[in-house]
Amino acid sequence: MRIVIAGGHGQIALRLEPLLAARGYEVAGIIRDPEQGGDLRAAGAEPVLCDLESASVEHVAGILQGADVAVFAAGAGPGSGAERKDTVDRAAAVLFADAAERARVRRFLMVSSMGADARHDGGEVFDFYLRAKGEADDHLRTRLGLEWTILRPGALTDDAGTGLVRLEARPGRGPVPREDVAAVLAELVDTPATAGLTLELVSGSTPVSVAVKDVAGN
């Protein structure tokens, strides 16, 4: 299985890549800074240079050709302004979904955010972020050629993962380590029965594998 991750040098992706590589999967991570390539190789992923803010759908579809799973884990980052929330968190996600559908990639995982809502009100940068993520999620739901799952983590932390989570449609607000987000994504890759679901994730008391099986109806 070949898996292509947008935002390959992001904090979640760098935790996800070794998990997928350990399962024997072929993993590629999209980056725009060639100096990040060594970090991806160390994580077990092949670096692929591409700037999703300027690339065409055709170019990204070429990168995704032959992939079984596409994961959007890119983000403008906490220090960015409203403009890049739009160009990365919305537009790049839309581009990646369109390219995945064009390349006939069946499985698509979107790393979104708890509170994402295209109709969210407010003029602060974080409000722009929540609207951008909500618009990207709404667009993904229209891609009939993709078996998509949207994952909306709560407040992200760099704490060590516990492997215990709460994964539901509406679990309530709370934090979650990035390590546990990556672990859930790795399980979702192997659980296509979660297609069509929008799931929220916080720390909890259920082992990751059990939580994913529960929402898949297994």
Side-chain angles (χ1 to χ4, degrees):
M1 185 184 292
R2 178 172 173 80
I3 302 166
V4 179
I5 303 171
H9 197 261
Q11 295 187 66
I12 290 174
L14 287 173
R15 291 165 169 84
L16 174 60
E17 287 152 358
L19 297 179
L20 297 174
R23 296 183 181 206
Y25 297 147
E26 180 184 346
V27 185
I30 295 176
I31 56 175
R32 57 181 190 169
D33 182 354
E35 293 186 1
Q36 297 171 343
D39 292 337
L40 264 71
R41 293 185 188 93
E46 165 203 351
V48 178
L49 283 175
C50 177
D51 185 349
L52 293 175
E53 289 182 86
S54 60
S56 66
V57 172
E58 292 77 12
H59 180 72
V60 179
I63 292 172
L64 288 165
Q65 199 68 41
D68 301 285
V69 183
V71 180
F72 187 83
S80 58
E83 182 178 349
R84 293 204 70 228
K85 303 305 183 193
D86 183 69
T87 59
V88 179
D89 295 293
R90 183 197 64 79
V94 166
L95 173 81
F96 200 60
D98 290 351
E101 188 173 48
R102 183 167 299 193
R104 298 187 179 182
V105 179
R106 293 299 301 171
R107 190 83 172 102
F108 192 103
L109 302 181
M110 174 78 85
V111 181
S112 184
S113 172
M114 190 175 286
D117 184 350
R119 293 160 296 282
H120 178 82
D121 195 19
E124 299 298 321
V125 172
F126 191 66
D127 298 319
F128 282 96
Y129 170 74
L130 292 177
R131 282 195 293 274
K133 297 300 283 185
E135 289 175 20
D137 292 352
D138 288 348
H139 180 80
L140 178 59
R141 295 187 184 103
T142 70
R143 300 301 86 196
L144 301 181
L146 299 175
E147 296 174 357
W148 54 263
T149 302
I150 296 170
L151 182 65
R152 292 178 164 178
L156 297 169
T157 76
D158 289 326
D159 297 338
T162 65
L164 301 173
V165 299
R166 188 172 179 186
L167 182 69
E168 301 171 12
R170 291 285 187 273
R173 298 273 175 173
V176 61
R178 289 178 172 86
E179 198 169 290
D180 286 336
V181 177
V184 169
L185 287 168
E187 288 294 325
L188 290 173
V189 164
D190 287 332
T191 315
T194 58
L197 298 180
T198 298
L199 302 168
E200 295 187 350
L201 174 67
V202 295
S203 292
S205 58
T206 305
V208 166
S209 60
V210 175
V212 172
K213 287 177 182 176
D214 284 349
V215 296
N218 296 332

